[in-house]
Amino acid sequence: MSLLAEVRQADRQLTKRIAAGASPRLHRVLSAVEEMAEGTKLWCGAAGVLAWKGGRRGRTAAAAGVASVAVAQLVSNGVCKGLVDRRRPPKEWIPHDEVDDRPDSSSFPSGHTAAAVAFTAAVARTWPLAGALCAIPAGVVAVERVQSGAHYPSDVAAGAAIGLAAAWFVRRVPRLVRKRMTAAVLP
């Protein structure tokens, strides 16, 4: 069996299991957190709280988080979804009505997960405790994307990878720019 076939099989099994495994109460919690994360509202709100209450460290963490979300959204929704036209999981796999309320765009990758992981990873670098607290809703968002039938687990994994890369990129770019500018000024 090829690696791609194995990923598809795992996607199918995990999607069905996760979609069917949530109790009604857990389903409501997952949906509520996803609704807050829709359009990056949750991450912008968290950035506002960090900047307001966290002093200089909070402002630094908030700026890095928001910049990382912007990069992750550009890559996941602006580039990858245009390059990879993957259908959402079949409705027959999802045993609840939330499957009717999902986007028509490509399933690959999960932009919600990319934003959640990007924000969390960027914040954690500057303020580990705040990052740990952000990891809770980020994890909930990732699970909800599969549970709702909006994404396959591999879409979520790709979104997470994009989020990590975005946070790394945002952290590294200022250093690279300073290094290049110093090299240009000092022959």
Side-chain angles (χ1 to χ4, degrees), residues 74-97:
L74 175 66
V75 172
S76 64
N77 295 337
V79 177
C80 292
K81 283 187 186 284
L83 295 174
V84 180
D85 186 24
R86 185 178 195 188
R87 293 179 187 218
R88 304 279 172 171
K91 289 184 178 187
E92 307 82 59
W93 295 3
I94 315 302
H96 50 76
D97 62 355

Side-chain angles (χ1 to χ4, degrees), residues 102-118:
R102 58 188 185 166
D104 293 331
S105 62
S106 174
S107 178
F108 186 87
S110 169
H112 282 77
T113 304
V117 171

Side-chain angles (χ1 to χ4, degrees), residues 64 68 125 166-176 178:
S68 296
R125 177 78 175 134
W168 176 86
F169 178 79
V170 165
R171 188 172 133 251
R172 294 291 297 165
V173 164
R175 289 183 194 167
L176 294 173
R178 280 194 306 268

Side-chain angles (χ1 to χ4, degrees), residues 46-176:
V49 171
L50 288 170
W52 178 43
K53 291 289 195 178
R56 182 176 181 182
R57 181 169 61 167
R59 289 187 297 277
T60 301
V66 169
S68 296
V69 167
V71 171
Q73 291 289 286
L74 175 66
V75 172
S76 64
N77 295 337
V79 177
C80 292
K81 283 187 186 284
L83 295 174
V84 180
D85 186 24
R86 185 178 195 188
R87 293 179 187 218
R88 304 279 172 171
K91 289 184 178 187
E92 307 82 59
W93 295 3
I94 315 302
H96 50 76
D97 62 355
E98 194 170 333
V99 72
D100 295 326
D101 187 30
R102 58 188 185 166
D104 293 331
S105 62
S106 174
S107 178
F108 186 87
S110 169
H112 282 77
T113 304
V117 171
F119 186 83
T120 300
V123 167
R125 177 78 175 134
T126 302
W127 195 349
L129 177 59
L133 292 173
C134 290
I136 296 166
V140 171
V141 166
V143 170
E144 188 281 336
R145 299 317 290 157
V146 177
Q147 189 274 331
S148 68
H151 291 284
Y152 296 96
S154 61
D155 300 336
V156 169
I162 290 168
L164 289 172
W168 176 86
F169 178 79
V170 165
R171 188 172 133 251
R172 294 291 297 165
V173 164
R175 289 183 194 167
L176 294 173

